[in-house]
Amino acid sequence: MNDPHTAPPAPRPVDIRPLRQHKRAWAGSATGSTGTCSIVSAAGNRYAAGEFCRNSDHGAATTDASGTPVTCSPSGSRWRWTDP
């Protein structure tokens, strides 16, 4: 039987920050398959060729909204998403 003078256990804290899913696995193929986009912006949008890359994405590959492969590679003094 429960003791009425014992306080219930405190609730466990829950992390409500959004989880950033970041995968470096190749999601499509060079044959034009749309595949799935494995790297998205912090807002959840797919990247397009010409956009700047985050430091954590250097060397990574994903697909843009149309399924075209894009790679984060150096372009001048900055890193950008480029068509391979």
Side-chain angles (χ1 to χ4, degrees):
M1 191 172 218
N2 291 341
D3 182 4
H5 302 290
T6 303
R12 294 173 49 174
V14 176
D15 186 1
I16 59 172
R17 293 176 292 178
L19 296 176
R20 180 177 142 204
Q21 293 195 343
H22 182 80
K23 300 176 184 175
R24 290 191 178 265
W26 177 245
S29 71
T31 60
S33 168
T34 57
T36 57
C37 184
S38 59
I39 301 175
V40 294
S41 70
N45 302 315
R46 292 182 175 193
Y47 287 107
E51 292 184 313
F52 293 117
C53 305
R54 298 177 290 212
N55 290 340
S56 61
D57 294 333
H58 291 180
T62 188
T63 55
D64 66 11
S66 65
T68 303
V70 290
T71 303
C72 179
S73 57
S75 176
S77 63
R78 304 289 306 262
W79 285 71
R80 293 182 184 266
W81 290 103
T82 58
D83 294 329

PDB file of all heavy atoms in Angstrom, residues 37 39-47 54:
ATOM      1  N   CYS A  37      17.213  12.987 -49.293  1.00  0.00           N
ATOM      2  CA  CYS A  37      18.145  14.020 -48.872  1.00  0.00           C
ATOM      3  C   CYS A  37      18.613  13.689 -47.463  1.00  0.00           C
ATOM      4  O   CYS A  37      17.812  13.577 -46.549  1.00  0.00           O
ATOM      5  CB  CYS A  37      17.453  15.376 -48.915  1.00  0.00           C
ATOM      6  SG  CYS A  37      18.537  16.721 -48.531  1.00  0.00           S
ATOM      7  N   ILE A  39      21.240  15.457 -45.828  1.00  0.00           N
ATOM      8  CA  ILE A  39      21.727  16.628 -45.107  1.00  0.00           C
ATOM      9  C   ILE A  39      20.800  17.790 -45.435  1.00  0.00           C
ATOM     10  O   ILE A  39      20.573  18.106 -46.594  1.00  0.00           O
ATOM     11  CB  ILE A  39      23.169  16.984 -45.502  1.00  0.00           C
ATOM     12  CG1 ILE A  39      24.103  15.803 -45.217  1.00  0.00           C
ATOM     13  CG2 ILE A  39      23.636  18.233 -44.766  1.00  0.00           C
ATOM     14  CD1 ILE A  39      25.525  16.021 -45.687  1.00  0.00           C
ATOM     15  N   VAL A  40      20.255  18.400 -44.399  1.00  0.00           N
ATOM     16  CA  VAL A  40      19.360  19.539 -44.582  1.00  0.00           C
ATOM     17  C   VAL A  40      19.850  20.700 -43.728  1.00  0.00           C
ATOM     18  O   VAL A  40      20.631  20.527 -42.805  1.00  0.00           O
ATOM     19  CB  VAL A  40      17.899  19.188 -44.210  1.00  0.00           C
ATOM     20  CG1 VAL A  40      17.324  18.158 -45.161  1.00  0.00           C
ATOM     21  CG2 VAL A  40      17.801  18.703 -42.781  1.00  0.00           C
ATOM     22  N   SER A  41      19.362  21.902 -44.037  1.00  0.00           N
ATOM     23  CA  SER A  41      19.734  23.089 -43.260  1.00  0.00           C
ATOM     24  C   SER A  41      19.103  23.014 -41.876  1.00  0.00           C
ATOM     25  O   SER A  41      18.248  22.159 -41.611  1.00  0.00           O
ATOM     26  CB  SER A  41      19.251  24.345 -43.980  1.00  0.00           C
ATOM     27  OG  SER A  41      17.844  24.424 -43.931  1.00  0.00           O
ATOM     28  N   ALA A  42      19.495  23.932 -41.006  1.00  0.00           N
ATOM     29  CA  ALA A  42      18.925  23.972 -39.659  1.00  0.00           C
ATOM     30  C   ALA A  42      17.411  24.199 -39.712  1.00  0.00           C
ATOM     31  O   ALA A  42      16.684  23.784 -38.818  1.00  0.00           O
ATOM     32  CB  ALA A  42      19.599  25.071 -38.839  1.00  0.00           C
ATOM     33  N   ALA A  43      16.931  24.829 -40.783  1.00  0.00           N
ATOM     34  CA  ALA A  43      15.495  25.071 -40.955  1.00  0.00           C
ATOM     35  C   ALA A  43      14.782  23.868 -41.563  1.00  0.00           C
ATOM     36  O   ALA A  43      13.573  23.877 -41.713  1.00  0.00           O
ATOM     37  CB  ALA A  43      15.277  26.303 -41.829  1.00  0.00           C
ATOM     38  N   GLY A  44      15.550  22.837 -41.940  1.00  0.00           N
ATOM     39  CA  GLY A  44      14.953  21.635 -42.508  1.00  0.00           C
ATOM     40  C   GLY A  44      14.855  21.646 -44.019  1.00  0.00           C
ATOM     41  O   GLY A  44      14.231  20.777 -44.607  1.00  0.00           O
ATOM     42  N   ASN A  45      15.471  22.625 -44.683  1.00  0.00           N
ATOM     43  CA  ASN A  45      15.420  22.730 -46.138  1.00  0.00           C
ATOM     44  C   ASN A  45      16.602  22.022 -46.775  1.00  0.00           C
ATOM     45  O   ASN A  45      17.679  21.943 -46.205  1.00  0.00           O
ATOM     46  CB  ASN A  45      15.433  24.207 -46.559  1.00  0.00           C
ATOM     47  CG  ASN A  45      14.287  24.963 -45.961  1.00  0.00           C
ATOM     48  OD1 ASN A  45      13.160  24.498 -45.964  1.00  0.00           O
ATOM     49  ND2 ASN A  45      14.564  26.143 -45.434  1.00  0.00           N
ATOM     50  N   ARG A  46      16.392  21.550 -48.001  1.00  0.00           N
ATOM     51  CA  ARG A  46      17.482  20.935 -48.761  1.00  0.00           C
ATOM     52  C   ARG A  46      18.390  22.023 -49.306  1.00  0.00           C
ATOM     53  O   ARG A  46      17.962  23.124 -49.591  1.00  0.00           O
ATOM     54  CB  ARG A  46      16.929  20.113 -49.913  1.00  0.00           C
ATOM     55  CG  ARG A  46      16.179  18.888 -49.443  1.00  0.00           C
ATOM     56  CD  ARG A  46      15.700  18.108 -50.621  1.00  0.00           C
ATOM     57  NE  ARG A  46      15.078  16.875 -50.179  1.00  0.00           N
ATOM     58  CZ  ARG A  46      14.782  15.874 -50.977  1.00  0.00           C
ATOM     59  NH1 ARG A  46      15.037  15.965 -52.264  1.00  0.00           N
ATOM     60  NH2 ARG A  46      14.231  14.797 -50.502  1.00  0.00           N
ATOM     61  N   TYR A  47      19.654  21.687 -49.468  1.00  0.00           N
ATOM     62  CA  TYR A  47      20.619  22.626 -50.024  1.00  0.00           C
ATOM     63  C   TYR A  47      20.558  22.599 -51.538  1.00  0.00           C
ATOM     64  O   TYR A  47      20.114  21.624 -52.140  1.00  0.00           O
ATOM     65  CB  TYR A  47      22.038  22.289 -49.563  1.00  0.00           C
ATOM     66  CG  TYR A  47      22.276  22.626 -48.118  1.00  0.00           C
ATOM     67  CD1 TYR A  47      22.362  21.639 -47.154  1.00  0.00           C
ATOM     68  CD2 TYR A  47      22.411  23.946 -47.718  1.00  0.00           C
ATOM     69  CE1 TYR A  47      22.577  21.953 -45.823  1.00  0.00           C
ATOM     70  CE2 TYR A  47      22.630  24.271 -46.393  1.00  0.00           C
ATOM     71  CZ  TYR A  47      22.711  23.272 -45.454  1.00  0.00           C
ATOM     72  OH  TYR A  47      22.924  23.582 -44.141  1.00  0.00           O
ATOM     73  N   ARG A  54      28.007  24.491 -44.162  1.00  0.00           N
ATOM     74  CA  ARG A  54      28.429  24.617 -42.767  1.00  0.00           C
ATOM     75  C   ARG A  54      29.787  23.956 -42.621  1.00  0.00           C
ATOM     76  O   ARG A  54      30.145  23.068 -43.393  1.00  0.00           O
ATOM     77  CB  ARG A  54      27.442  23.897 -41.841  1.00  0.00           C
ATOM     78  CG  ARG A  54      26.045  24.451 -41.875  1.00  0.00           C
ATOM     79  CD  ARG A  54      25.153  23.630 -40.979  1.00  0.00           C
ATOM     80  NE  ARG A  54      24.940  22.310 -41.588  1.00  0.00           N
ATOM     81  CZ  ARG A  54      23.846  21.599 -41.454  1.00  0.00           C
ATOM     82  NH1 ARG A  54      22.838  22.045 -40.731  1.00  0.00           N
ATOM     83  NH2 ARG A  54      23.727  20.433 -42.025  1.00  0.00           N
TER      84      ARG A  54
END
